[in-house]
Amino acid sequence: MCTMIAKQVSVTGSGKATNSWFAVDQASVSYDHPFDMPLEYSLNLDFTNQGSGPGARVAVELDAESARKLVAAIQEVLRQAEAGGFLIRS
Amino acid sequence: MYTTDLYEGMLAETVILPGYHADLINAYFARPLGAGPFPGMLLIHHLPGWDEWYRDTARKFAEHGYATLCPNLYFRDGHGTPEDVAAKVRGAGGVADDQVLGDVAAALAMLLALPYVNGKAGVFGTCSGGRHAYLSACRIPGFAALVDCWGGRVVMAPEELTPKQPVAPVDYTTSLSCPVLGIFGNDDRSPTPQQVDELEAALKNHGKNYEFHRYDGAGHGFFYHNRPNYRQAQAVDGWDKVFTFLNKHLKGS
Protein backbone atom coordinates (compact mmCIF):
# COMPACT_ATOMS: atom_id res chain seq x y z
CA MET A 1 0.00 0.00 0.00
CA CYS A 2 1.25 3.44 -0.65
CA THR A 3 -1.33 5.63 1.04
CA MET A 4 -2.96 3.20 3.49
CA ILE A 5 -5.98 5.50 3.41
CA ALA A 6 -8.82 3.01 3.76
CA LYS A 7 -12.05 2.50 5.70
CA GLN A 8 -14.32 -0.50 5.91
CA VAL A 9 -17.97 -0.44 6.86
CA SER A 10 -20.52 -3.21 7.36
CA VAL A 11 -23.43 -2.82 4.98
CA THR A 12 -26.57 -4.68 3.97
CA GLY A 13 -27.30 -4.97 0.29
CA SER A 14 -26.83 -6.82 -2.95
CA GLY A 15 -24.22 -6.46 -5.63
CA LYS A 16 -24.26 -7.65 -9.21
CA ALA A 17 -21.20 -9.43 -10.50
CA THR A 18 -20.82 -10.51 -14.10
CA ASN A 19 -23.65 -13.00 -14.17
CA SER A 20 -25.46 -12.95 -10.87
CA TRP A 21 -26.30 -11.06 -7.75
CA PHE A 22 -24.74 -11.76 -4.38
CA ALA A 23 -25.30 -10.50 -0.86
CA VAL A 24 -23.02 -7.59 0.04
CA ASP A 25 -22.02 -7.31 3.69
CA GLN A 26 -18.97 -5.04 3.55
CA ALA A 27 -17.93 -1.92 1.70
CA SER A 28 -14.31 -0.80 1.53
CA VAL A 29 -13.42 2.76 0.67
CA SER A 30 -9.85 3.61 -0.12
CA TYR A 31 -7.81 6.33 -1.78
CA ASP A 32 -4.90 4.45 -3.26
CA HIS A 33 -3.64 3.01 -6.53
CA PRO A 34 -6.42 1.91 -8.91
CA PHE A 35 -6.17 -1.30 -10.90
CA ASP A 36 -7.71 0.03 -14.09
CA MET A 37 -8.34 3.79 -14.07
CA PRO A 38 -5.40 5.64 -15.65
CA LEU A 39 -4.57 7.64 -12.52
CA GLU A 40 -1.89 7.31 -9.90
CA TYR A 41 -4.52 7.38 -7.15
CA SER A 42 -8.29 7.05 -7.15
CA LEU A 43 -11.22 6.74 -4.80
CA ASN A 44 -11.90 3.02 -4.78
CA LEU A 45 -15.14 1.38 -3.73
CA ASP A 46 -15.27 -2.37 -3.20
CA PHE A 47 -18.53 -4.03 -2.24
CA THR A 48 -17.87 -7.57 -1.04
CA ASN A 49 -19.22 -10.61 0.73
CA GLN A 50 -16.76 -11.62 3.40
CA GLY A 51 -17.85 -15.23 3.39
CA SER A 52 -17.54 -15.76 -0.35
CA GLY A 53 -13.88 -15.07 -1.04
CA PRO A 54 -12.13 -12.18 -2.77
CA GLY A 55 -13.91 -12.79 -6.07
CA ALA A 56 -17.28 -11.71 -4.65
CA ARG A 57 -16.59 -8.07 -5.36
CA VAL A 58 -18.22 -5.18 -7.16
CA ALA A 59 -15.55 -2.57 -7.78
CA VAL A 60 -15.65 1.06 -8.83
CA GLU A 61 -12.71 3.43 -9.25
CA LEU A 62 -13.45 7.17 -9.38
CA ASP A 63 -11.49 10.36 -9.53
CA ALA A 64 -11.84 12.49 -6.42
CA GLU A 65 -14.24 15.00 -7.94
CA SER A 66 -16.54 12.25 -9.15
CA ALA A 67 -16.49 10.68 -5.71
CA ARG A 68 -17.49 13.95 -4.08
CA LYS A 69 -20.37 14.36 -6.53
CA LEU A 70 -21.48 10.82 -5.84
CA VAL A 71 -21.48 11.37 -2.08
CA ALA A 72 -23.51 14.57 -2.51
CA ALA A 73 -25.97 12.78 -4.80
CA ILE A 74 -26.45 9.94 -2.32
CA GLN A 75 -27.00 12.38 0.52
CA GLU A 76 -29.53 14.37 -1.53
CA VAL A 77 -31.45 11.28 -2.64
CA LEU A 78 -31.62 10.03 0.94
CA ARG A 79 -32.77 13.47 2.11
CA GLN A 80 -35.61 13.46 -0.41
CA ALA A 81 -36.56 9.90 0.48
CA GLU A 82 -36.68 10.75 4.15
CA ALA A 83 -38.69 13.89 3.48
CA GLY A 84 -41.15 11.83 1.46
CA GLY A 85 -41.58 9.32 4.24
CA PHE A 86 -40.02 6.50 2.29
CA LEU A 87 -37.25 5.57 4.74
CA ILE A 88 -38.41 2.53 6.65
CA ARG A 89 -36.26 1.48 9.58
CA SER A 90 -35.78 -2.27 9.59
CA MET B 1 25.94 -10.10 -20.74
CA TYR B 2 23.85 -12.27 -23.02
CA THR B 3 25.25 -13.08 -26.43
CA THR B 4 23.54 -15.07 -29.14
CA ASP B 5 25.85 -18.05 -28.85
CA LEU B 6 24.91 -18.72 -25.22
CA TYR B 7 22.58 -21.38 -23.93
CA GLU B 8 19.68 -19.92 -21.97
CA GLY B 9 16.93 -21.68 -20.08
CA MET B 10 14.92 -21.25 -16.95
CA LEU B 11 12.46 -22.95 -14.69
CA ALA B 12 9.59 -20.81 -13.44
CA GLU B 13 6.91 -22.26 -11.22
CA THR B 14 4.79 -21.83 -8.12
CA VAL B 15 6.28 -23.30 -4.96
CA ILE B 16 5.16 -23.55 -1.35
CA LEU B 17 7.25 -22.44 1.61
CA PRO B 18 6.70 -21.94 5.33
CA GLY B 19 6.30 -18.24 6.07
CA TYR B 20 5.53 -16.18 9.14
CA HIS B 21 4.56 -18.45 12.05
CA ALA B 22 5.36 -21.38 9.72
CA ASP B 23 2.15 -20.71 7.76
CA LEU B 24 2.45 -22.30 4.35
CA ILE B 25 2.33 -19.67 1.63
CA ASN B 26 2.99 -19.84 -2.08
CA ALA B 27 5.69 -18.07 -4.04
CA TYR B 28 6.70 -17.68 -7.65
CA PHE B 29 10.17 -19.03 -8.25
CA ALA B 30 12.11 -18.39 -11.44
CA ARG B 31 15.68 -19.58 -11.80
CA PRO B 32 18.18 -20.17 -14.56
CA LEU B 33 18.74 -23.77 -15.52
CA GLY B 34 22.10 -25.19 -14.66
CA ALA B 35 24.25 -25.93 -11.69
CA GLY B 36 25.04 -22.32 -10.94
CA PRO B 37 26.10 -20.99 -8.62
CA PHE B 38 23.57 -18.17 -9.06
CA PRO B 39 22.97 -15.24 -6.76
CA GLY B 40 19.53 -15.11 -5.19
CA MET B 41 16.94 -12.36 -5.46
CA LEU B 42 13.86 -11.85 -3.38
CA LEU B 43 11.11 -9.78 -4.98
CA ILE B 44 8.53 -8.13 -2.73
CA HIS B 45 5.37 -7.38 -4.66
CA HIS B 46 3.50 -4.10 -4.68
CA LEU B 47 0.01 -2.95 -3.73
CA PRO B 48 -1.67 -4.40 -6.84
CA GLY B 49 -0.64 -7.73 -5.49
CA TRP B 50 1.16 -10.84 -6.54
CA ASP B 51 0.38 -10.03 -10.12
CA GLU B 52 1.51 -10.55 -13.69
CA TRP B 53 4.04 -7.71 -13.54
CA TYR B 54 5.81 -9.39 -10.66
CA ARG B 55 5.78 -12.80 -12.32
CA ASP B 56 7.18 -11.15 -15.46
CA THR B 57 9.80 -9.40 -13.37
CA ALA B 58 10.81 -12.59 -11.60
CA ARG B 59 11.51 -14.14 -15.01
CA LYS B 60 13.42 -10.99 -15.99
CA PHE B 61 15.73 -11.43 -13.02
CA ALA B 62 16.12 -15.13 -13.86
CA GLU B 63 17.13 -14.17 -17.40
CA HIS B 64 19.82 -12.00 -15.85
CA GLY B 65 21.13 -14.95 -13.90
CA TYR B 66 19.37 -14.70 -10.55
CA ALA B 67 17.48 -17.43 -8.71
CA THR B 68 14.45 -15.31 -7.96
CA LEU B 69 11.77 -15.93 -5.38
CA CYS B 70 8.64 -13.79 -5.09
CA PRO B 71 6.46 -14.77 -2.12
CA ASN B 72 2.73 -14.11 -2.16
CA LEU B 73 2.32 -11.79 0.82
CA TYR B 74 -1.47 -11.93 0.44
CA PHE B 75 -1.75 -15.72 0.55
CA ARG B 76 -3.67 -15.66 3.83
CA ASP B 77 -6.32 -13.36 2.40
CA GLY B 78 -7.81 -15.93 0.07
CA HIS B 79 -7.53 -16.69 -3.59
CA GLY B 80 -8.95 -15.20 -6.72
CA THR B 81 -7.62 -12.82 -9.33
CA PRO B 82 -4.63 -10.80 -8.06
CA GLU B 83 -6.80 -7.68 -8.26
CA ASP B 84 -9.60 -9.11 -6.14
CA VAL B 85 -7.20 -10.37 -3.50
CA ALA B 86 -5.25 -7.11 -3.48
CA ALA B 87 -8.49 -5.12 -3.20
CA LYS B 88 -9.37 -7.10 -0.09
CA VAL B 89 -5.98 -6.33 1.44
CA ARG B 90 -6.18 -2.70 0.36
CA GLY B 91 -9.54 -2.29 2.06
CA ALA B 92 -8.15 -3.75 5.26
CA GLY B 93 -5.28 -1.27 5.35
CA GLY B 94 -2.58 -3.60 4.09
CA VAL B 95 -0.68 -6.43 5.70
CA ALA B 96 1.18 -6.13 8.98
CA ASP B 97 4.89 -5.39 8.82
CA ASP B 98 5.71 -8.24 11.21
CA GLN B 99 3.91 -10.72 8.97
CA VAL B 100 5.77 -9.47 5.91
CA LEU B 101 9.09 -9.72 7.73
CA GLY B 102 8.30 -13.28 8.76
CA ASP B 103 7.47 -14.27 5.20
CA VAL B 104 10.53 -12.54 3.78
CA ALA B 105 12.88 -14.06 6.36
CA ALA B 106 11.59 -17.53 5.54
CA ALA B 107 11.94 -16.91 1.80
CA LEU B 108 15.50 -15.65 2.25
CA ALA B 109 16.41 -18.71 4.30
CA MET B 110 15.03 -20.95 1.57
CA LEU B 111 17.00 -19.13 -1.12
CA LEU B 112 20.27 -19.25 0.77
CA ALA B 113 19.85 -22.94 1.53
CA LEU B 114 19.65 -23.90 -2.13
CA PRO B 115 22.79 -25.67 -3.33
CA TYR B 116 22.92 -23.68 -6.56
CA VAL B 117 22.73 -20.26 -4.87
CA ASN B 118 26.10 -18.60 -4.32
CA GLY B 119 25.44 -17.54 -0.75
CA LYS B 120 24.41 -14.01 -1.69
CA ALA B 121 20.89 -12.66 -2.03
CA GLY B 122 19.39 -9.26 -2.68
CA VAL B 123 15.95 -7.84 -2.14
CA PHE B 124 13.96 -5.74 -4.62
CA GLY B 125 10.60 -4.08 -4.27
CA THR B 126 8.47 -1.37 -5.83
CA CYS B 127 5.84 0.87 -4.27
CA SER B 128 4.75 -0.77 -0.99
CA GLY B 129 7.20 -3.53 -1.92
CA GLY B 130 9.97 -0.94 -1.92
CA ARG B 131 9.00 -0.02 1.61
CA HIS B 132 8.90 -3.66 2.63
CA ALA B 133 12.25 -4.27 0.94
CA TYR B 134 13.85 -1.42 2.90
CA LEU B 135 12.29 -2.69 6.11
CA SER B 136 13.46 -6.23 5.39
CA ALA B 137 17.03 -5.21 4.66
CA CYS B 138 17.11 -3.37 7.97
CA ARG B 139 15.43 -6.02 10.12
CA ILE B 140 16.53 -9.33 8.57
CA PRO B 141 20.23 -10.20 8.57
CA GLY B 142 21.68 -11.78 5.46
CA PHE B 143 20.85 -9.57 2.51
CA ALA B 144 23.78 -8.47 0.36
CA ALA B 145 21.96 -5.78 -1.65
CA LEU B 146 18.76 -3.74 -1.48
CA VAL B 147 16.88 -2.14 -4.38
CA ASP B 148 14.16 0.26 -3.27
CA CYS B 149 12.09 1.47 -6.20
CA TRP B 150 9.93 4.42 -5.14
CA GLY B 151 8.97 2.85 -1.84
CA GLY B 152 6.30 5.03 -0.30
CA ARG B 153 6.05 5.59 3.43
CA VAL B 154 9.63 4.58 4.19
CA VAL B 155 9.68 8.02 5.75
CA MET B 156 6.46 8.36 7.76
CA ALA B 157 4.93 11.10 9.87
CA PRO B 158 3.91 10.01 13.39
CA GLU B 159 0.22 10.27 12.46
CA GLU B 160 0.73 7.75 9.65
CA LEU B 161 1.86 4.99 12.00
CA THR B 162 -0.68 2.23 12.59
CA PRO B 163 -0.74 -1.01 14.58
CA LYS B 164 0.14 -2.83 11.36
CA GLN B 165 2.92 -0.37 10.53
CA PRO B 166 4.09 0.80 13.95
CA VAL B 167 7.56 2.09 13.00
CA ALA B 168 8.75 4.06 9.99
CA PRO B 169 11.32 1.93 8.14
CA VAL B 170 13.73 4.88 8.00
CA ASP B 171 14.01 4.64 11.76
CA TYR B 172 15.68 1.24 11.39
CA THR B 173 18.38 2.59 9.08
CA THR B 174 21.10 2.10 11.65
CA SER B 175 20.57 -1.66 11.33
CA LEU B 176 20.92 -1.71 7.54
CA SER B 177 23.86 -3.89 6.64
CA CYS B 178 23.94 -3.99 2.83
CA PRO B 179 24.42 -1.54 -0.04
CA VAL B 180 21.31 0.33 -1.19
CA LEU B 181 20.12 1.37 -4.63
CA GLY B 182 17.24 3.85 -4.67
CA ILE B 183 15.25 4.60 -7.83
CA PHE B 184 12.79 7.49 -7.67
CA GLY B 185 10.66 9.72 -9.89
CA ASN B 186 10.77 13.42 -9.14
CA ASP B 187 7.04 13.79 -9.84
CA ASP B 188 6.11 11.12 -7.30
CA ARG B 189 3.85 12.00 -4.38
CA SER B 190 4.69 8.91 -2.33
CA PRO B 191 7.56 9.22 -1.76
CA THR B 192 7.84 12.93 -2.43
CA PRO B 193 11.23 14.32 -3.44
CA GLN B 194 11.46 15.78 0.07
CA GLN B 195 10.94 12.34 1.60
CA VAL B 196 13.61 10.93 -0.70
CA ASP B 197 15.94 13.66 0.57
CA GLU B 198 15.10 12.71 4.16
CA LEU B 199 15.84 9.07 3.43
CA GLU B 200 19.13 9.95 1.78
CA ALA B 201 20.07 12.09 4.77
CA ALA B 202 19.42 9.17 7.11
CA LEU B 203 21.59 6.85 5.02
CA LYS B 204 24.32 9.45 4.87
CA ASN B 205 24.18 10.18 8.60
CA HIS B 206 24.50 6.48 9.40
CA GLY B 207 27.42 6.07 7.01
CA LYS B 208 25.63 3.60 4.75
CA ASN B 209 26.69 2.55 1.26
CA TYR B 210 24.00 3.86 -1.06
CA GLU B 211 23.32 5.33 -4.47
CA PHE B 212 20.14 7.17 -5.38
CA HIS B 213 18.91 7.97 -8.88
CA ARG B 214 16.18 10.56 -9.26
CA TYR B 215 14.43 10.87 -12.62
CA ASP B 216 12.84 13.99 -14.05
CA GLY B 217 9.68 13.49 -16.06
CA ALA B 218 8.75 10.40 -14.07
CA GLY B 219 6.39 9.86 -11.19
CA HIS B 220 5.34 6.78 -9.29
CA GLY B 221 5.77 3.35 -10.83
CA PHE B 222 7.51 4.40 -14.01
CA PHE B 223 8.76 0.84 -14.69
CA TYR B 224 5.18 -0.44 -15.08
CA HIS B 225 4.83 -0.93 -18.82
CA ASN B 226 1.13 -1.79 -18.39
CA ARG B 227 0.21 1.52 -16.75
CA PRO B 228 0.06 5.09 -18.08
CA ASN B 229 2.80 6.17 -15.67
CA TYR B 230 5.35 4.12 -17.64
CA ARG B 231 8.28 6.25 -18.83
CA GLN B 232 10.30 4.46 -21.44
CA ALA B 233 13.64 6.28 -21.32
CA GLN B 234 13.70 6.53 -17.54
CA ALA B 235 12.68 2.90 -17.13
CA VAL B 236 15.40 1.64 -19.49
CA ASP B 237 18.02 3.63 -17.63
CA GLY B 238 16.60 2.57 -14.27
CA TRP B 239 16.72 -1.13 -15.13
CA ASP B 240 20.30 -0.68 -16.28
CA LYS B 241 21.12 0.86 -12.92
CA VAL B 242 19.41 -2.04 -11.13
CA PHE B 243 21.37 -4.78 -12.88
CA THR B 244 24.68 -2.91 -12.78
CA PHE B 245 24.23 -2.54 -9.03
CA LEU B 246 23.16 -6.13 -8.42
CA ASN B 247 25.83 -7.64 -10.65
CA LYS B 248 28.45 -5.69 -8.72
CA HIS B 249 27.27 -6.75 -5.28
CA LEU B 250 25.88 -10.23 -5.84
CA LYS B 251 27.87 -11.79 -8.65
CA GLY B 252 31.33 -10.88 -7.50
CA SER B 253 33.41 -13.17 -5.34
Side-chain angles (χ1 to χ4, degrees), chain B residues 2 4 22 34 40 56 63 72 82 86-87 97 109 122 154 159 189 205 230:
Chain B
Y2 176 78
T4 54
D56 285 346
E63 286 171 1
N72 176 10
D97 284 347
V154 174
E159 60 271 21
R189 283 168 285 179
N205 289 341
Y230 180 64

Side-chain angles (χ1 to χ4, degrees), chain A residues 1-2 4 8 37 46 57, chain B residues 84 93 127-128 153 227:
Chain A
M1 301 307 125
C2 275
M4 288 291 185
Q8 290 182 314
M37 197 176 189
D46 292 302
R57 180 171 77 109
Chain B
D84 286 339
C127 184
S128 61
R153 297 160 61 87
R227 296 290 299 166

Side-chain angles (χ1 to χ4, degrees), chain B residues 78-98:
Chain B
H79 298 289
T81 68
E83 287 187 7
D84 286 339
V85 177
K88 181 179 179 182
V89 174
R90 179 180 64 189
V95 287
D97 284 347
D98 281 351

Side-chain angles (χ1 to χ4, degrees), chain B residues 62-121:
Chain B
E63 286 171 1
H64 283 259
Y66 294 86
T68 306
L69 192 58
C70 181
N72 176 10
L73 303 179
Y74 299 168
F75 182 89
R76 299 167 184 81
D77 296 284
H79 298 289
T81 68
E83 287 187 7
D84 286 339
V85 177
K88 181 179 179 182
V89 174
R90 179 180 64 189
V95 287
D97 284 347
D98 281 351
Q99 180 178 301
V100 172
L101 289 168
D103 288 347
V104 171
L108 175 63
M110 174 183 158
L111 264 182
L112 293 178
L114 293 169
Y116 48 83
V117 168
N118 70 355
K120 295 180 181 179

Side-chain angles (χ1 to χ4, degrees), chain A residues 1-8 28-42 44-46 50 53-57 59 61, chain B residues 47-48 74 77-80 82-95 127-128 152-153 165 187-190 219-220 227-228:
Chain A
M1 301 307 125
C2 275
T3 71
M4 288 291 185
I5 302 171
K7 296 284 184 187
Q8 290 182 314
S28 297
V29 186
S30 64
Y31 191 78
D32 213 318
H33 301 316
F35 294 107
D36 186 71
M37 197 176 189
L39 292 175
E40 191 171 318
Y41 300 101
S42 62
N44 310 303
L45 299 171
D46 292 302
Q50 296 178 79
R57 180 171 77 109
E61 299 172 343
Chain B
L47 156 72
Y74 299 168
D77 296 284
H79 298 289
E83 287 187 7
D84 286 339
V85 177
K88 181 179 179 182
V89 174
R90 179 180 64 189
V95 287
C127 184
S128 61
R153 297 160 61 87
Q165 299 183 325
D187 297 334
D188 203 335
R189 283 168 285 179
S190 181
H220 196 77
R227 296 290 299 166

Side-chain angles (χ1 to χ4, degrees), chain B:
Chain B
M1 177 183 290
Y2 176 78
T3 57
T4 54
D5 57 340
L6 293 178
Y7 164 78
E8 184 182 4
M10 76 169 69
L11 178 64
E13 61 177 343
T14 307
V15 298
I16 300 291
L17 61 94
Y20 181 60
H21 284 167
D23 297 340
L24 291 180
I25 65 170
N26 55 9
Y28 191 69
F29 186 31
R31 67 175 175 87
L33 293 180
F38 309 110
M41 275 303 297
L42 202 80
L43 307 191
I44 305 186
H45 67 75
H46 54 178
L47 156 72
W50 195 57
D51 62 1
E52 184 175 351
W53 192 87
Y54 262 86
R55 293 196 303 280
D56 285 346
T57 303
R59 291 190 295 271
K60 182 182 184 75
F61 277 95
E63 286 171 1
H64 283 259
Y66 294 86
T68 306
L69 192 58
C70 181
N72 176 10
L73 303 179
Y74 299 168
F75 182 89
R76 299 167 184 81
D77 296 284
H79 298 289
T81 68
E83 287 187 7
D84 286 339
V85 177
K88 181 179 179 182
V89 174
R90 179 180 64 189
V95 287
D97 284 347
D98 281 351
Q99 180 178 301
V100 172
L101 289 168
D103 288 347
V104 171
L108 175 63
M110 174 183 158
L111 264 182
L112 293 178
L114 293 169
Y116 48 83
V117 168
N118 70 355
K120 295 180 181 179
V123 59
F124 166 100
T126 62
C127 184
S128 61
R131 178 183 179 278
H132 286 146
Y134 194 94
L135 187 64
S136 296
C138 290
R139 301 285 309 279
I140 301 168
F143 284 112
L146 159 65
V147 179
D148 169 10
C149 293
W150 55 90
R153 297 160 61 87
V154 174
V155 174
M156 300 170 74
E159 60 271 21
E160 292 181 295
L161 301 175
T162 67
K164 288 182 176 177
Q165 299 183 325
V167 179
V170 67
D171 291 342
Y172 290 117
T173 298
T174 187
S175 303
L176 187 65
S177 58
C178 66
V180 181
L181 174 68
I183 301 282
F184 306 99
N186 286 332
D187 297 334
D188 203 335
R189 283 168 285 179
S190 181
T192 63
Q194 293 73 28
Q195 289 170 328
V196 174
D197 290 343
E198 287 184 46
L199 181 60
E200 181 173 20
L203 289 162
K204 190 173 184 179
N205 289 341
H206 286 93
K208 302 302 180 183
N209 178 356
Y210 73 93
E211 61 178 85
F212 275 14
H213 299 278
R214 299 168 167 85
Y215 290 90
D216 288 330
H220 196 77
F222 62 93
F223 281 14
Y224 301 153
H225 54 268
N226 56 338
R227 296 290 299 166
N229 36 356
Y230 180 64
R231 296 292 179 272
Q232 185 268 336
Q234 296 89 333
V236 168
D237 190 78
W239 275 120
D240 185 60
K241 296 286 193 302
V242 168
F243 286 111
T244 299
F245 173 82
L246 292 177
N247 291 347
K248 174 183 175 184
H249 293 289
L250 300 183
K251 289 189 175 178
S253 56

